[in-house]
């Protein structure tokens, strides 16, 4: 928020305060006029609300769901609802059990999972949306395989059912799980938006590097020019950039093109011109190499030339610099792999050069919906941030012991809120639900064996179809089943020719 906006908000607040001063909130509470109060999401608030807002007649409505109390870490307490029954003897409980969102099978799974928690108010969700599809549970070899599997299934489902990207959500316990998903979504040119955390590609250090790549792909990208020219500093100061901007604007050209204009060059000093031309000529060299040399070689040379690692350690605290540099290396490694042909999981990479990779990254940034209105994009979200939302088709990933439920919750014997988190994730789905877990996952640089979340075992077995789990033999999930699905997709492709 800038100072102007902050000032406007403060001014607006003062105007409202003066307007309503004759009837302040404490005054209203003491008056007989305030006889009914509505308190929403009661379990997420403070118990004092229940006493302060009742007025002299004690009439109020509290709306809450003890099965969705997932914010204990920020002070919310499901005991608020329990306390109501003690403090108000005439309390009338109205259960809203009909669900207008999900299929019967999804609700049955949610009901069965949450039934393992102690109940404040016994209830059972029901729906008129039909039985619905089986819930798919996939055991992936690793987080890399899990991400690839989710993206491939999403694409196949979208094609087969003629849906939109915005009909899909990928939900996870922690923000750190989003990075590998983002990479695989971009690999397949699938647009996405992210909530409940910052996108990996929106981090400052990643934007610093992509500014060079954007400029390589498009010399007319003025924002990329400014960021690349000044990060890290190269002797190109604000005065030089201001003069360059004025000249470019007056002559209707890009900043990059203006730098090579003789008329402009005569306006600035020799040292400023030398620094500016050194930068522009370096971009020219990168453009030549981008279509000729392996992407990994060009990228590593770029980092070395601009001394980006040293820049981070000079401008950040050591721990922050370490994290940012690790992010940059992950980004470079991802692009490098994209440029190398491989056959991981049966998928051949295209072996793209750096220019093609840069165009892909730039295209994805545009596809992610900077335009007005809701973008047609897959939603990535933490489970906490997804509460209150709904999606046609949900992928719930990382359902392993130590992640969901979280390791700290297991150690501290606080499984109930984690189970409510699983319940929230399940009930975000309207039509289909895919759950996945990894047999191995990298933690602190080491591969560890993983176990499926206990919550999966709490779902009725008849509602599940297992993939990749040797302990759950399911003929429907066999190779023959997979082949028949592919045959159906091929038939649809042929029909559309």
């Amino acid at each position: 928020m800038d100072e102007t906006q902050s000032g406007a908000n403060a001014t607006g607040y003062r105007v409202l305060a003066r307007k309503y001063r004759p009837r302040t909130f404490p005054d209203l509470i003491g008056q007989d006029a305030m006889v009914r109060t509505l308190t929403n999401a009661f379990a997420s608030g403070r118990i004092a609300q229940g006493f302060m807002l009742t007025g002299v007649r004690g009439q109020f409505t509290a709306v809450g769901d003890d099965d969705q109390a997932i914010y204990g870490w920020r002070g919310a307490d499901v005991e608020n609802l329990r306390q109501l029954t003690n403090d108000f003897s005439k309390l009338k409980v109205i259960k809203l059990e009909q669900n207008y969102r999900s299929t019967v099978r999804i609700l049955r799974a949610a009901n069965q999972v949450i039934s393992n928690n102690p109940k404040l108010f016994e209830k059972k969700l029901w729906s008129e949306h039909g039985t619905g599809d089986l819930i798919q549970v996939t055991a992936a070899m690793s987080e890399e395989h899990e991400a690839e599997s989710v993206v491939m299934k999403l694409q196949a489902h979208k094609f087969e059912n003629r849906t939109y990207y915005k009909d899909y959500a990928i939900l996870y316990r922690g923000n750190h799980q989003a990075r590998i998903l983002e990479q695989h979504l971009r690999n397949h040119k699938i647009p996405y938006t992210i909530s409940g955390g910052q996108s990996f590609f929106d981090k400052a250090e990643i934007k610093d590097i992509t500014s060079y790549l954007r400029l390589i792909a498009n010399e007319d990208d003025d924002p990329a020019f400014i960021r690349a020219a000044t990060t890290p500093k190269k002797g190109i100061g604000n005065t030089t950039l201001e003069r360059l901007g004025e000249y470019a604007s007056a002559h209707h050209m890009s900043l990059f093109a203006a730098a090579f204009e003789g008329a402009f060059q005569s306006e600035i000093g020799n040292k400023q011109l030398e620094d500016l031309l050194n930068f522009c000529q370096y971009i020219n060299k990168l453009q030549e190499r981008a279509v000729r040399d392996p992407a990994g070689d060009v990228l590593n040379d770029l980092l070395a030339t601009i001394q980006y690692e040293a820049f981070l350690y000079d401008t950040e605290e050591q721990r922050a610099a370490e994290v940012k540099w690790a992010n940059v290396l992950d980004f470079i490694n991802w692009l490098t792999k994209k440029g190398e042909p491989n056959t991981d999981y049966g998928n051949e990479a295209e072996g793209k050069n750096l220019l093609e990779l840069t165009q892909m990254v730039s295209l994805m940034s545009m596809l992610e919906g900077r335009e007005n209105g809701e973008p047609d994009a897959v939603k990535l979200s933490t489970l906490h941030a997804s509460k209150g939302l709904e999606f046609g088709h949900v992928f719930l990933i990382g359902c392993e012991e130590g992640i969901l439920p979280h390791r700290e919750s297991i150690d501290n014997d606080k499984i109930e809120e984690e189970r409510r988190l699983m319940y929230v994730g399940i009930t975000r789905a309207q039509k289909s639900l895919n759950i996945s877990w990894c047999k191995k996952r990298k933690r602190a640089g080491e591969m560890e064996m993983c176990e499926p979340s206990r919550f999966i075992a709490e779902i009725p077995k008849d509602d599940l179809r297992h993939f990749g789990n040797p302990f759950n033999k399911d003929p429907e999930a066999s190779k023959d089943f997979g082949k028949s699905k592919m045959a159906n997709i091929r038939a649809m492709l042929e029909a559309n020719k």
Side-chain angles (χ1 to χ4, degrees):
M1 180 183 296
D2 59 30
E3 293 182 1
T4 303
Q5 184 182 5
S6 178
N9 288 344
T11 301
Y13 178 82
R14 288 194 295 270
V15 170
L16 289 174
R18 286 194 297 269
K19 181 177 180 182
Y20 291 102
R21 187 175 295 157
R23 293 172 63 82
T24 61
F25 200 64
D27 294 335
L28 288 173
I29 292 176
Q31 294 181 14
D32 206 31
M34 189 174 186
V35 296
R36 292 183 178 84
T37 300
L38 173 64
T39 303
N40 191 23
F42 191 81
S44 296
R46 300 181 183 278
I47 196 165
Q49 291 176 334
F51 302 104
M52 184 177 71
L53 301 178
T54 58
V56 296
R57 298 188 186 181
Q59 294 183 343
F60 67 94
T61 299
V63 180
D65 184 355
D66 54 314
D67 292 335
Q68 295 193 55
I70 59 173
Y71 296 110
W73 50 273
R74 69 181 190 193
D77 192 351
V78 71
E79 290 299 313
N80 289 357
L81 287 170
R82 190 193 307 274
Q83 191 66 34
L84 283 177
T85 60
N86 299 328
D87 296 332
F88 300 94
S89 58
K90 296 180 180 180
L91 182 71
K92 181 179 180 180
V93 177
I94 301 172
K95 299 179 182 180
L96 306 178
E97 296 177 293
Q98 182 175 3
N99 181 286
Y100 298 93
R101 171 188 299 156
S102 307
T103 63
V104 171
R105 206 184 296 272
I106 290 171
L107 293 182
R108 190 157 57 210
N111 285 330
Q112 191 62 36
V113 168
I114 205 64
S115 68
N116 291 277
N117 272 5
K119 305 295 288 184
L120 290 181
F121 304 103
E122 195 65 43
K123 62 181 180 295
K124 192 172 185 179
L125 300 180
W126 61 277
S127 169
E128 293 180 343
H129 287 311
T131 303
D133 297 335
L134 287 169
I135 297 169
Q136 296 189 14
V137 178
T138 301
M141 292 182 285
S142 64
E143 59 262 51
E144 186 85 28
H145 181 220
E146 180 183 43
E148 180 70 12
S149 174
V150 166
V151 171
M152 295 300 289
K153 285 184 178 181
L154 189 155
Q155 281 186 306
H157 189 277
K158 178 181 181 295
F159 178 80
E160 193 172 355
N161 294 275
R162 298 293 192 267
T163 51
Y164 296 96
Y165 283 123
K166 64 184 178 183
D167 295 327
Y168 297 86
I170 306 175
L171 308 180
Y172 38 81
R173 178 65 176 82
N175 288 319
H176 67 280
Q177 294 170 266
R179 177 186 301 185
I180 194 167
L181 288 167
E182 291 190 70
Q183 292 175 346
H184 280 276
L185 288 167
R186 287 181 179 246
N187 284 351
H188 294 275
K189 300 182 178 66
I190 298 176
Y192 65 89
T193 59
I194 191 166
S195 62
Q198 184 185 34
S199 168
F200 176 70
F201 293 89
D202 283 339
K203 294 181 182 295
E205 60 272 22
I206 304 302
K207 285 188 170 184
D208 287 345
I209 304 305
T210 56
S211 66
Y212 287 86
L213 305 185
R214 286 165 50 195
L215 192 56
I216 291 170
N218 178 17
E219 296 175 357
D220 295 337
D221 190 337
D222 287 344
F225 179 96
I226 293 172
R227 187 163 193 147
T230 57
T231 311
K233 293 186 180 300
K234 304 172 180 66
I236 304 173
N238 291 337
T239 301
T240 300
L241 288 174
E242 286 173 5
R243 290 185 179 180
L244 184 64
E246 291 170 358
Y247 185 92
S249 178
H251 293 82
H252 308 289
M253 61 178 59
S254 69
L255 297 176
F256 189 89
F260 292 98
E261 291 283 303
F264 164 72
Q265 293 177 0
S266 64
E267 294 181 6
I268 62 174
N270 292 335
K271 179 62 171 67
Q272 289 82 359
L273 178 59
E274 180 182 357
D275 291 334
L276 181 61
L277 289 180
N278 284 341
F279 168 70
C280 293
Q281 289 164 357
Y282 178 63
I283 296 298
N284 284 147
K285 292 178 182 178
L286 288 177
Q287 289 173 323
E288 295 174 4
R289 294 190 62 193
V291 296
R292 183 188 68 224
D293 296 346
D297 292 349
V298 182
L299 290 166
N300 285 313
D301 287 348
L302 167 64
L303 292 181
T305 300
I306 66 175
Q307 299 181 329
Y308 194 75
E309 182 180 12
F311 162 73
L312 288 177
Y313 280 92
D314 288 342
T315 57
E316 303 280 351
E317 296 290 335
Q318 180 170 342
R319 178 55 185 157
E322 291 172 353
V323 171
K324 288 175 180 286
W325 180 240
N327 288 338
V328 170
L329 293 181
D330 281 349
F331 178 61
I332 297 300
N333 289 338
W334 173 66
L335 284 175
T336 300
K337 288 180 181 178
K338 285 288 294 176
E340 298 172 349
N342 67 76
T343 56
D344 288 348
Y345 312 120
N347 299 308
E348 292 188 5
E350 298 176 45
K352 294 180 178 179
N353 61 42
L354 182 58
L355 182 60
E356 292 169 326
L357 294 175
T358 299
Q359 290 168 341
M360 178 197 71
V361 172
S362 299
L363 175 63
M364 288 308 306
S365 296
M366 291 186 289
L367 287 177
E368 282 161 21
R370 303 302 192 268
E371 71 278 359
N372 294 329
E374 180 186 8
D376 182 24
V378 175
K379 173 70 76 175
L380 302 186
S381 177
T382 62
L383 287 165
H384 285 98
S386 74
K387 184 181 177 184
L389 304 178
E390 58 185 36
F391 308 93
H393 312 282
V394 168
F395 290 85
L396 182 51
I397 71 165
C399 292
E400 303 145 31
E401 292 291 299
I403 294 182
L404 185 63
H406 194 271
R407 183 170 295 176
E408 289 185 9
S409 299
I410 297 173
D411 294 341
N412 297 321
D413 195 23
K414 294 183 177 180
I415 298 298
E416 292 176 13
E417 184 159 323
E418 294 293 297
R419 185 174 281 112
R420 292 194 289 269
L421 204 53
M422 181 73 172
Y423 175 86
V424 166
I426 292 172
T427 54
R428 296 314 91 197
Q430 295 173 298
K431 298 177 182 178
S432 73
L433 175 63
N434 287 263
I435 298 172
S436 60
W437 62 280
C438 295
K439 298 176 183 178
K440 294 181 180 179
R441 185 178 292 273
K442 184 175 289 187
R443 289 192 177 96
E446 300 291 334
M447 293 299 292
E448 293 183 3
M449 298 299 296
C450 304
E451 296 181 7
S453 170
R454 67 192 70 188
F455 304 142
I456 296 176
E458 294 173 356
I459 299 174
K461 289 182 173 57
D462 291 343
D463 291 324
L464 298 179
R465 173 180 290 153
H466 288 270
F467 292 81
N469 188 350
F471 302 106
N472 290 278
K473 300 297 183 182
D474 186 346
E476 288 297 312
S478 66
K479 290 184 178 179
D480 291 338
F481 176 73
K483 289 178 180 178
S484 68
K485 294 286 286 183
M486 288 304 299
N488 288 338
I489 293 174
R490 290 193 189 98
M492 294 174 67
L493 281 170
E494 290 296 327
N496 287 328
K497 284 184 177 179

